[in-house]
Amino acid sequence: MKHRIVVLGAGDAGAYVAGTLARRLSPADTEITVVNAVPDFVQRLRLHQLAAGREIEAPKLADVFAGTGIRLRVARVTAVDAERQVVAVAGIDGDGEHGCDTLLYALGSHGADRGVPGVLEHAFDVSARPSALRLRERLDSLGRRGEGGSVVVVGDGLTGIETATELAESRPDVSVTLVARGEPGARLSAGGRGHLRQACDRLSITVLEHASVEAVEATRVLCADGTALASDATVWTAGFAVDPIAAAGGLEVTENGQIVVDRTMRSVSHPSVYAIGDNGRPLPMSCASAGHTGRQAIEAIVGRLTGRKIANTKRHVASRRLREAPGWCFPSPGDRVFRRSSEACPGTGHVRLARTAQRSRTAAWR
């Protein structure tokens, strides 16, 4: 009987791991099924560009996995039963269950409102394609009325920085304000922070440092110090959260719902489960984590199924080609399963610098 591997999620981490496992494991011995809520591969790293007005490719997963032997199920994961090793799904072709011998949990994350009133009702985000398209339509509607409008981006991480700079550059008629709890790009080098400040000055972005948002309203953002910022579109990038599916399924999780794993990304409570990307500790939620955790899980699964020694992935990605790729985090960007458009990102050197700095500083566990 074939060993059944089920991959939940076909984002950056899930698609990469599924494709690599299909190449490295014999189809005579293993069966790989990928479950994803939508039929397309979403380039989440580029959703801020989609929101700004650029056309971002969303290839069909059926085409992405064609010829690999991977089975694709377009359905939403509704539950995981870690004890029974069963996944419950709901799709257009009905509800169902998938049994598995190895489960790869890669469901990603979504924007977190942090309990701030008005975020869910009034703010946009760029953590999913539909929400990015809603922001794009809002900006387009302002343009059709001859109003550039004002945009407030809340969050000083890389997503906030990228969103603010992309919007300011792609839509020069829009007034952009970046609200930062601390200093934008605080974890970058001194040179990186200087470059970022120059980019914000060049793009006429207003930066409010050491500011805390208390509420988001339909037409303004309220800060803790009493400042009220006029906003025709508020973009919330102040953190991410994971769905409670893992916790509800009996897996040991952290306080924020991430699955607790060992050095090989294997669940400490259920050894048939691996968690990668934003869902497994110890790396933080980030694009870089998809590559680091995915490679380690691949080595662990292949090693255990073939009886080979499990290799530990290196502490960081050192490939020059990877460092120069605009926002791509996988070690083999030329491979068909996860090839990205070779399209350049004109004018976004500040974004490439930020992503490169993130990769260089993201340390894997020892």
Side-chain angles (χ1 to χ4, degrees):
M1 183 176 179
K2 293 185 179 182
H3 186 95
R4 300 165 300 169
I5 300 174
V6 174
V7 180
L8 304 184
D12 292 340
Y16 165 55
V17 171
T20 305
L21 289 176
R23 290 200 316 275
R24 295 185 58 180
L25 294 172
S26 169
D29 301 322
T30 55
E31 175 184 286
I32 300 174
T33 300
V34 174
V35 180
N36 199 60
V38 297
D40 310 313
F41 177 75
V42 177
Q43 297 189 53
R44 183 171 176 179
L45 289 176
R46 303 187 67 185
L47 290 179
H48 61 287
Q49 296 173 332
L50 180 68
R54 298 182 60 184
E55 294 303 322
I56 304 301
E57 182 184 7
K60 295 296 182 183
L61 287 170
D63 296 332
V64 171
F65 293 133
T68 64
I70 293 173
R71 300 182 178 186
L72 174 65
R73 175 75 186 272
V74 179
R76 180 173 55 86
V77 177
T78 58
V80 171
D81 189 328
E83 293 295 333
R84 294 176 52 226
Q85 297 181 232
V86 169
V87 177
V89 301
I92 58 175
D93 55 350
D95 300 348
E97 289 188 338
H98 288 274
C100 57
D101 302 301
T102 295
L103 178 66
L104 231 301
Y105 194 103
L107 289 178
S109 62
H110 55 81
D113 63 8
R114 304 301 187 196
V116 176
V119 171
L120 294 178
E121 296 83 357
H122 304 299
F124 299 88
D125 68 74
V126 291
S127 62
R129 188 175 178 89
S131 55
L133 288 173
R134 285 194 294 271
L135 173 58
R136 177 173 175 162
E137 174 55 32
R138 172 59 175 162
L139 297 174
D140 287 346
S141 69
L142 293 173
R144 286 193 293 269
R145 297 203 304 260
E147 306 171 9
S150 58
V151 174
V152 175
V153 179
V154 182
D156 54 11
L158 297 184
T159 301
I161 292 169
E162 290 176 349
T163 302
T165 52
E166 185 71 31
L167 291 177
E169 189 165 48
S170 301
R171 297 177 180 261
D173 57 334
V174 172
S175 173
V176 178
T177 298
L178 176 62
V179 180
R181 180 177 291 274
E183 177 187 2
R187 295 184 180 181
L188 300 177
S189 66
R193 294 194 301 274
H195 181 87
L196 179 58
R197 285 192 295 272
Q198 292 174 9
C200 289
D201 290 342
R202 174 174 60 83
L203 297 170
S204 300
I205 297 172
T206 300
V207 179
L208 295 184
E209 296 184 353
H210 309 290
S212 177
V213 173
E214 284 198 336
V216 175
E217 298 180 350
T219 58
R220 62 179 186 167
V221 174
L222 305 180
C223 298
D225 62 0
T227 301
L229 304 172
S231 179
D232 294 302
T234 300
V235 187
W236 190 263
T237 68
F240 303 101
V242 298
D243 288 322
I245 292 175
L251 290 155
E252 183 177 340
V253 299
T254 63
E255 289 184 1
N256 67 357
Q258 288 178 288
I259 298 171
V260 180
V261 296
D262 63 15
R263 174 64 177 78
T264 66
M265 304 311 299
R266 194 182 201 182
S267 166
V268 298
S269 62
H270 294 79
S272 65
V273 178
Y274 293 80
I276 58 176
D278 291 342
N279 295 278
R281 283 297 194 184
L283 292 182
M285 297 183 193
S286 71
C287 70
S289 296
H292 286 296
T293 59
R295 288 195 315 281
Q296 183 59 77
I298 290 166
E299 295 300 330
I301 293 171
V302 171
R304 290 185 173 113
L305 292 183
T306 62
R308 301 171 187 167
K309 180 180 178 181
I310 298 175
N312 287 335
T313 55
K314 296 182 179 180
R315 294 190 58 182
H316 60 84
V317 178
S319 166
R320 178 177 179 182
R321 178 171 63 167
L322 176 59
R323 290 199 304 270
E324 293 176 346
W328 200 242
C329 295
F330 298 141
S332 302
D335 287 348
R336 185 179 61 79
V337 170
F338 29 84
R339 180 181 297 137
R340 175 182 175 166
S341 169
S342 60
E343 173 189 30
C345 298
T348 53
H350 46 278
V351 175
R352 289 197 295 273
L353 173 65
R355 286 294 180 196
T356 298
Q358 182 191 49
R359 293 188 201 105
S360 66
R361 74 165 186 272
T362 301
W365 54 101
R366 295 180 183 275

